[in-house]
Amino acid sequence: MPKQHQGLQVIQHLGQAYRSMQAAFSGRVGHALPRWRILFTLHEHGQCSQKMLAEQCRLDPASLTRLLQAMQQQGWVTRSADRNDNRVTNASLTPAGQAVVDDALPRREAFFEDALQGLSDEDVQALTHALDVLERNFSQAGASRVDQEN
């Protein structure tokens, strides 16, 4: 099989695995992955600017704003202008939001444990390395496309 065809199959398989992981995560943990990333980042870092959240969660700013607004309506997060720079909006978990995270953390841990069943430490290391290389290559491919358009 030509290398180019193998590469296409690998990339398609990666996409399918990611979609499968997202659906399983949502079903098991009770939160869609983008929402969980926001909740968990606020749990780990405390108050964060929306810019930092977008970067940490790898979400575009408009999607992040919509998700934060929905979580704010649920009473899970608060958003406020930064004291030092009113152009910056900060977000933080409310006590209700922290309770949501605390409730989901054991399900998240069990999900990861189950998801990695059958993989040795060496398998996980090799997969991590391969994903790091792919991510770097994707970033470079995306950047070179932007450079070609400009």
Side-chain angles (χ1 to χ4, degrees):
M1 180 178 305
K3 185 176 181 178
Q4 186 177 20
H5 186 66
Q6 284 179 321
L8 177 62
Q9 285 184 325
V10 167
I11 300 302
Q12 287 175 336
H13 197 166
L14 178 64
Q16 291 166 347
Y18 181 70
R19 287 186 295 280
S20 178
M21 185 271 302
Q22 282 186 303
F25 184 91
S26 177
R28 180 84 175 266
V29 178
H31 299 282
L33 202 51
R35 179 173 62 195
W36 175 255
R37 285 186 190 135
I38 295 166
L39 290 168
F40 191 71
T41 300
L42 292 172
H43 166 73
E44 284 192 312
H45 297 281
Q47 180 174 287
C48 297
S49 71
Q50 285 190 202
K51 181 179 180 180
M52 183 224 174
L53 273 176
E55 292 168 0
Q56 289 283 313
C57 299
R58 296 181 181 190
L59 293 169
D60 69 271
S63 295
L64 174 69
T65 297
R66 283 190 299 275
L67 287 164
L68 284 172
Q69 287 172 338
M71 287 188 280
Q72 189 172 15
Q73 289 176 347
Q74 292 174 297
W76 296 353
V77 299
T78 59
R79 296 185 314 142
S80 59
D82 189 273
R83 289 181 180 172
N84 300 320
D85 186 347
N86 65 2
R87 296 170 297 173
V88 174
T89 301
N90 293 318
S92 59
L93 287 176
T94 64
Q98 185 61 56
V100 166
V101 172
D102 292 343
D103 181 59
L105 281 171
R107 293 190 305 271
R108 173 187 176 260
E109 189 63 35
F111 172 79
F112 289 149
E113 193 173 306
D114 291 348
L116 296 175
Q117 291 252 331
L119 294 174
S120 68
D121 289 344
E122 293 79 19
D123 292 337
V124 172
Q125 288 176 346
L127 183 56
T128 299
H129 173 72
L131 291 171
D132 286 344
V133 170
L134 281 172
E135 185 174 9
R136 193 169 41 253
N137 291 348
F138 290 148
S139 293
Q140 289 173 353
S144 66
R145 171 75 179 170
V146 171
D147 290 343
Q148 290 173 356
E149 291 176 358
N150 290 330

